[in-house]
Amino acid sequence: MGLNPAYAGAYGAAPPFSQIPYMGGAKAAVPEAPAPPNSILFVQNLPHQSTPMMLQMLFCQYPGFKEVRMVEAKPGIAFIEYGDEMQSTVAMQALQGFKITAENPMLITYAKK
DNA sequence: AGCACA
């Protein structure tokens, strides 16, 4: 009565759920809408030495610019506020991936909360 | 990777 591998799948030896590729990792619908539009932009991948001044120089060129807020607690991210979401969208598209330095292309999304 | 102001 040795262990016959043939019984392994038939009884208790099923693989953990985490290894079963059920849906191949399907998520919610529409990957084209990563974040809901917002008049405030969330900017990340900034060099840690960047200042609100630098961001203002860049973003104030686009219509509707209101203000820039940096998050001191988490270096490398910042918020850019615009008058409305149409204007913030234009600015986001325009400056998306803008290289502040060679290693720091800006990653811009709509702000979360 | 991160999400702050009012």
Side-chain angles (χ1 to χ4, degrees):
Chain A
M1 299 205 188
L3 289 183
N4 187 334
Y7 291 110
Y11 293 112
F17 289 103
S18 60
Q19 294 181 8
I20 303 178
Y22 276 116
M23 305 293 284
K27 291 181 181 171
V30 207
E32 321 210 357
N38 194 322
S39 59
I40 306 182
L41 299 176
F42 177 59
V43 184
Q44 55 195 159
N45 197 38
L46 297 170
H48 291 198
Q49 358 152 31
S50 49
T51 72
M53 289 287 298
M54 306 171 62
L55 297 175
Q56 181 171 338
M57 298 305 296
L58 293 173
F59 285 92
C60 79
Q61 310 174 92
Y62 299 92
F65 174 85
K66 281 183 46 176
E67 75 170 310
V68 38
R69 282 193 293 268
M70 298 212 67
V71 184
E72 302 177 350
K74 307 218 169 166
I77 74 181
F79 295 91
I80 312 292
E81 181 163 358
Y82 277 85
D84 62 55
E85 55 196 43
M86 309 289 292
Q87 301 172 318
S88 66
T89 303
V90 171
M92 174 173 68
Q93 302 288 326
L95 291 175
Q96 187 64 270
F98 180 89
K99 289 183 174 63
I100 299 196
T101 78
E103 295 84 28
N104 297 82
M106 289 196 298
L107 264 181
I108 311 180
T109 59
Y110 295 110
K112 198 180 295 179
K113 301 182 234 173

